[in-house]
């Protein structure tokens, strides 16, 4: 149950999207406990739009936020957040945790597009994002991590992203940054001194017949086809604004593998 306890704050959000039988998407489950609330906003076309709205800053150390989104056959959901997330030091100390669990059924489509996550000095946050896609499901997932506010050092931030299609892992990678992280995270092979890092995962059944070529379409951006009908875009940038521009522009640079 959500609420405040001596170990920190718990928040749980559940969103279920289902095709409404009239060409649109219904939300039979849209609920939360704790200081994170899903709000339906005006959609476009067949897609339902939902924004997560926080009633407090955070998470702080010791807090645990969980977001679950399930998209049924033929449904389309665009899920985001109303503002950036600030990982902050906690009164109770310890590590904060954020879990995102996504499932998309055959013919369903989900866009998970939260605003950036900013790691503040002295904070500690572990993010786990787990996605299960059925064959024929579509996904657009964007993750943006900013290491510190302007002029400050970051806290410890660990983010792991796992994507499975038809039960088979196509992506499982972890980024560990900040004080106490294994050496080399700020070196030329990882961030190279940049303070914003992000990734975009696009899964589309059409990629099975028209695979995307690997490439480096821009400074700080890399496109990597995955072993499934999916593509990973990784990017680093000096700041959040530049990072967003790189990730937004990346799909327009996709070229067929046979070109």
């Amino acid at each position: 149950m959500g609420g405040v306890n001596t170990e920190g704050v718990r928040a749980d959000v559940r969103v279920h999207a289902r095709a409404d039988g009239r060409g649109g998407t219904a939300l039979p489950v849209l609920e939360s406990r704790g200081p994170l609330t899903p709000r339906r906003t005006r959609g476009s076309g067949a897609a339902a739009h939902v924004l997560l709205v926080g009633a407090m800053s955070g998470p702080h150390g010791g807090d645990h936020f969980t977001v679950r989104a399930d998209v049924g056959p033929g449904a389309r959901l665009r899920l985001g957040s109303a503002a950036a997330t600030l990982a902050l030091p906690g009164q109770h100390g310890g590590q904060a945790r954020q879990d995102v669990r996504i499932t998309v059924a055959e013919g369903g489509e989900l866009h998970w597009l939260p605003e950036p996550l900013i790691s503040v000095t002295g904070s500690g946050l572990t993010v786990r994002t787990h996605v299960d896609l059925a064959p024929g499901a579509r996904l657009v997932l964007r993750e943006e991590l900013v290491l510190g506010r302007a002029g400050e050092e970051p806290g410890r931030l660990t983010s792991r992203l796992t994507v499975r299609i038809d039960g088979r892992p196509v992506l499982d990678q972890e980024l560990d940054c900040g004080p106490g992280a294994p050496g080399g995270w700020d070196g030329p092979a990882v961030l190279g001194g940049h303070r914003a890092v992000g990734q975009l995962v696009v899964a589309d059944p059409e990629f099975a017949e028209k695979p995307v070529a690997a490439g480096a379409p821009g400074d700080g951006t890399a496109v990597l086809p995955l072993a499934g009908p999916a593509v990973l875009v990784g990017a680093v940038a000096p700041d959040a604004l530049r990072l967003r521009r790189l990730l937004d522009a990346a799909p327009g640079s996709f070229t067929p593998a046979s070109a």
Side-chain angles (χ1 to χ4, degrees):
M1 182 176 181
V4 179
N5 58 40
T6 57
E7 297 179 346
V9 174
R10 300 291 181 268
D12 291 284
V13 174
R14 295 177 61 206
V15 180
H16 290 188
R18 298 288 182 265
D20 64 7
R22 303 186 302 274
T25 297
L27 300 174
V29 176
L30 191 65
E31 62 185 29
S32 65
R33 296 178 179 178
L36 197 58
T37 302
R39 300 292 189 195
R40 183 167 190 168
T41 60
R42 178 174 296 180
S44 59
H49 290 194
V50 174
L51 282 180
L52 303 181
V53 180
M56 55 170 270
S57 59
H60 298 74
D63 295 349
H64 187 179
F65 293 179
T66 302
V67 177
R68 295 180 175 85
D70 299 303
V71 179
R76 298 177 63 185
L77 174 64
R78 183 184 178 98
L79 181 60
S81 57
T85 296
L86 281 176
L88 296 164
Q91 178 180 356
H92 306 289
Q95 193 85 356
R97 184 179 177 94
Q98 177 174 295
D99 292 312
V100 178
R101 297 183 179 277
I102 292 168
T103 62
V104 185
E106 183 176 1
E109 180 174 331
L110 173 71
H111 291 212
W112 169 233
L113 304 170
E115 294 302 309
L117 193 164
I118 302 170
S119 175
V120 172
T121 293
S123 66
L125 174 65
T126 298
V127 180
R128 295 283 187 268
T129 303
H130 193 107
V131 181
D132 272 301
L133 303 177
R138 288 179 168 82
L139 171 76
V140 178
L141 182 153
R142 183 186 67 214
E143 180 184 66
E144 298 168 320
L145 307 176
V146 180
L147 305 181
R149 294 170 293 193
E152 75 171 7
E153 294 298 315
R156 177 76 177 270
L157 177 61
T158 306
S159 177
R160 183 164 184 167
L161 171 61
T162 304
V163 178
R164 303 193 308 173
I165 299 178
D166 195 19
R168 182 169 56 89
V170 299
L171 176 66
D172 189 359
Q173 70 175 10
E174 182 174 284
L175 179 66
D176 195 357
C177 305
W185 63 270
D186 201 22
V190 187
L191 296 182
H194 292 293
R195 283 295 177 266
V197 55
Q199 50 194 340
L200 182 75
V201 179
V202 181
D204 191 321
E206 294 185 359
F207 292 158
E209 296 185 357
K210 301 177 181 177
V212 174
D219 186 20
T221 309
V223 175
L224 178 67
L226 301 176
V231 176
L232 170 67
V233 178
V236 293
D239 53 51
L241 179 60
R242 175 63 178 164
L243 178 66
R244 174 67 61 86
R245 288 174 177 169
L246 291 174
L247 294 175
D248 283 350
S253 69
F254 289 173
T255 56
S258 57

